[in-house]
Amino acid sequence: MAREQLSAMTESFHWNEFADREALAEALAGRIVGLLSAAVERRGTALLAVSGGTTPARLFEVLSNQPIAWGRVTVTLVDERFVPPSSPRSNAALVTGKLLQGRAAAARFVPLFRQGETLDEAAADGDREIATLPQPFDVVILGMGGDGHTASFFPDARELPALLDPQNSLALMPVHADSAGEPRLTLTLPRIVAAGFLALHIEGDEKRATFDKAMSNGAAGKGPQLPIRVVLDASPRPVEVFWAP
């Protein structure tokens, strides 16, 4: 049986710690369901942006079976590799296969990759489409890489200054970074931190060490700020960090 959640509050984040990943998935899914349901009740629709990678798979499975008005929920991605959904590296494929199943199959999905378009064309079209969605996002769930990137804010991204610019008017931008493996599309910082609920979902000791490093870097001359730290500092309210071993 999982032990009780441990939590702690700092100025920029609220730490939620769980004994295991199943307990984390259940708790985070519960928070998301409550927030989406409240948004549907308040304005008739809800907007959710999720991240890819391996970490959120179990969360998506738990979330997909929750009894909410999925037909009034729009789901999109925080970021996407510029690959078709047939690729095993596609975040859209993960969301379709793990989240948009069962009850959640009724949700509307807005992918970021567009077949037959260049990266810049897809970014421009995606930016226009996202602008038509009911902003701000009700819920945004971030992940984090071992280099401290979140969304596709890679430390070596050529577009990083613009991506992290709090005055950036674009919702979606292309990303070129050697460490990313392929070009990407990502939501920009202003759209992410404007969310009604912003969470960072990380698991394992390695991710915790990266997070701790990010929170210490940039302070007292300990090195440059990692992108995840920039996002947490830019958020107008503490980011909810969900971690399990």
Side-chain angles (χ1 to χ4, degrees), residues 77-157:
L77 291 161
V78 170
D79 66 328
E80 176 64 286
R81 301 174 178 94
F82 199 61
V83 297
S86 57
S87 169
R89 288 178 59 77
S90 166
N91 288 340
L94 174 69
V95 170
T96 301
K98 296 292 186 180
L99 175 55
L100 302 177
Q101 299 291 320
R103 289 168 167 160
R108 175 193 176 196
F109 180 51
V110 178
L112 302 183
F113 175 83
R114 293 165 185 267
Q115 192 72 46
E117 294 189 349
T118 66
L119 180 69
D120 288 342
E121 290 170 343
D125 285 346
D127 179 71
R128 285 190 287 269
E129 184 168 16
I130 289 171
T132 69
L133 301 178
Q135 308 279 320
F137 287 90
D138 296 293
V139 177
V140 172
I141 308 298
L142 298 173
M144 185 190 70
D147 59 355
H149 86 266
T150 190
S152 281
F153 305 156
F154 288 88
D156 63 337

Side-chain angles (χ1 to χ4, degrees), residues 36-48:
L36 296 181
S37 296
V40 169
E41 179 69 21
R42 184 176 68 252
R43 59 178 180 166
T45 187
L47 185 56
L48 167 67

